[in-house]
Amino acid sequence: MTPTELRAFCLGFNAAVEEFPFTPETSVFKVLGKVFALSALDADPLKVNLKCEPEQAVRLRAEHEAIVPGWHMNKRHWNTVTVGGLPDALVRELVEDSYDLVVAGLPRAERLRLDRP
């Protein structure tokens, strides 16, 4: 997966936006103001921080060398994923899981708003 593909995939989710609150190099992808992915898209290798359920985070780290505790994040809930070290389908699944976890934590009224076009 290329940086362009990762950006497009993240922005393809309902109400997803890209912001640069830290540095111009760090893309922060949010849904209704809540972060679901962070990446320096011009970095080599390409990495992305993604939210994850704690039990699954530990399992994924044990199964994949390309997945480590989230850099500068709460290590219980975030993983850093080296994109080129995993199949694209798994990266897409992890990004989608991160988005879904963040959406699940939103207030009910905001979750319902996302279901509308």
Side-chain angles (χ1 to χ4, degrees):
M1 177 177 285
T2 68
T4 302
E5 291 169 334
L6 178 60
R7 172 183 278 131
F9 188 71
C10 288
L11 292 174
F13 293 105
N14 198 0
V17 297
E18 180 181 20
E19 297 179 357
F20 301 89
F22 306 118
T23 68
E25 297 82 26
T26 304
S27 293
V28 178
F29 298 95
K30 297 180 177 183
V31 55
L32 299 181
K34 302 293 183 182
V35 176
F36 70 91
L38 295 96
S39 180
L41 294 172
D42 59 352
D44 187 22
L46 177 60
K47 295 181 181 185
V48 61
N49 282 0
L50 300 169
K51 192 161 188 162
C52 192
E53 292 178 354
E55 301 79 27
Q56 183 180 10
V58 171
R59 181 183 58 77
L60 287 166
R61 293 172 197 161
E63 292 175 3
H64 304 280
E65 287 182 27
I67 301 176
V68 298
W71 186 69
H72 284 305
M73 304 296 281
N74 179 329
K75 312 247 184 284
R76 185 166 191 263
H77 296 279
W78 290 84
N79 281 335
T80 296
V81 176
T82 302
V83 175
L86 298 171
D88 286 357
L90 179 56
V91 173
R92 284 189 198 90
E93 180 182 323
L94 295 173
V95 172
E96 185 173 359
D97 287 349
S98 181
Y99 175 87
D100 290 343
L101 273 174
V102 172
V103 168
L106 293 171
R108 184 174 186 270
E110 290 183 354
R111 287 195 316 266
L112 292 175
R113 265 191 5 208
L114 288 175
D115 290 337
R116 296 183 182 155

